[in-house]
Amino acid sequence: MLKTLLLTGYEPFLKFKTNPTESAARHLDGTTVGEYRIVSRVYPVSFKNIEVLIRKDIDEVNPDAIIHLGLAGNIHSIHLERIAINCIDGRPDNDGFHPNGEKINEDGPDAIFSTLPIIRLEKALLENNIPVAISNSAGTYLCNNLMYCSLYYLKEKDLNIPSGFVHVPANMEISIANKIPGWPQDYINVAVTKLIENL
């Protein structure tokens, strides 16, 4: 019996005209990878909407696992995020809201750890010659916000499923336009597929 995996990406934001996580999510939507049927969502870069959206999708999709994807503009490898913190900060989102160190949840813990098997996933990607690292900071922008809200809601609902956040490098379109490191989109798609295969 197939399980269901909720895979999320983001729309373009800031100076980036595309987003490789949107492309990867759409590419894998409706496919079967390993023991998972993939259900994808692409989210707006919007602090005010992100918590409502992930709660709704967890309720509707009822996933057996969740992988959130985000773009990190200057990384050379896949980053498996270990922890989300209860803080938002950084540049304005696509709605123009400019966070300034506010808490995500006034009553929530300072941090929540990923429940993805990140050590095993790191090993699996390295065995497939895909550059990868475990990261101890998901930042304070929308990626961290989504990771925190998702993990918090799963704890609130007492759902013990693998869930966490993965940062990917820019695709080549973004890389060339912004003179930053980048991977071909197909390679990013392969890396995400390998993660799902090894959950």
Side-chain angles (χ1 to χ4, degrees):
M1 182 114 177
L2 282 177
K3 298 179 181 179
T4 301
L5 183 136
L6 176 61
L7 179 69
T8 75
Y10 272 116
E11 68 183 4
F13 65 105
L14 299 175
K15 61 186 177 181
F16 306 123
K17 303 302 182 188
T18 63
N19 194 319
T21 68
E22 177 178 11
S23 299
R26 295 196 189 285
H27 173 75
L28 289 166
D29 187 33
T31 66
T32 298
V33 179
E35 59 185 15
Y36 292 100
R37 177 181 64 93
I38 311 303
V39 175
S40 295
R41 296 287 186 267
V42 176
Y43 290 148
V45 177
S46 170
F47 282 104
K48 72 178 181 181
N49 291 317
I50 201 65
E51 184 170 14
V52 171
L53 289 170
I54 186 55
R55 285 173 173 252
K56 176 179 71 70
D57 285 334
I58 288 173
D59 288 343
E60 288 181 359
V61 176
N62 191 27
D64 299 288
I66 302 172
I67 293 180
H68 300 297
L69 302 175
L71 165 63
N74 285 296
I75 61 175
H76 296 78
S77 68
I78 297 293
H79 280 193
L80 305 172
E81 299 300 342
R82 191 191 301 272
I83 191 168
I85 62 172
N86 191 5
C87 176
I88 55 173
D89 205 347
R91 288 170 286 184
D93 66 12
N94 285 358
D95 296 326
F97 171 68
H98 194 170
N100 190 31
E102 297 93 335
K103 281 192 169 185
I104 296 169
N105 187 314
E106 284 296 331
D107 300 318
D110 291 339
I112 309 177
F113 283 89
S114 170
T115 54
L116 293 176
I118 57 175
I119 294 174
R120 185 169 82 235
L121 294 179
E122 180 190 38
K123 182 174 182 287
L125 262 61
L126 290 173
E127 287 174 349
N128 283 275
N129 298 312
I130 298 173
V132 60
I134 291 174
S135 164
N136 292 314
S137 174
T140 53
Y141 200 56
L142 257 300
C143 295
N144 174 79
N145 195 166
L146 174 57
M147 182 181 178
Y148 186 94
C149 289
S150 180
L151 290 168
Y152 184 87
Y153 191 50
L154 291 173
K155 284 181 178 291
E156 198 175 68
K157 291 176 67 73
D158 198 27
L159 291 174
N160 185 24
I161 65 171
S163 178
F165 204 95
V166 177
H167 271 116
V168 306
N171 58 24
M172 296 311 296
E173 181 180 348
I174 293 171
S175 172
I176 291 166
N178 296 278
K179 297 182 173 61
I180 58 175
W183 288 7
Q185 183 66 51
D186 287 348
Y187 195 46
I188 293 171
N189 295 348
V190 167
V192 175
T193 301
K194 287 295 180 187
L195 287 173
I196 299 169
E197 286 176 353
N198 287 279
L199 261 183

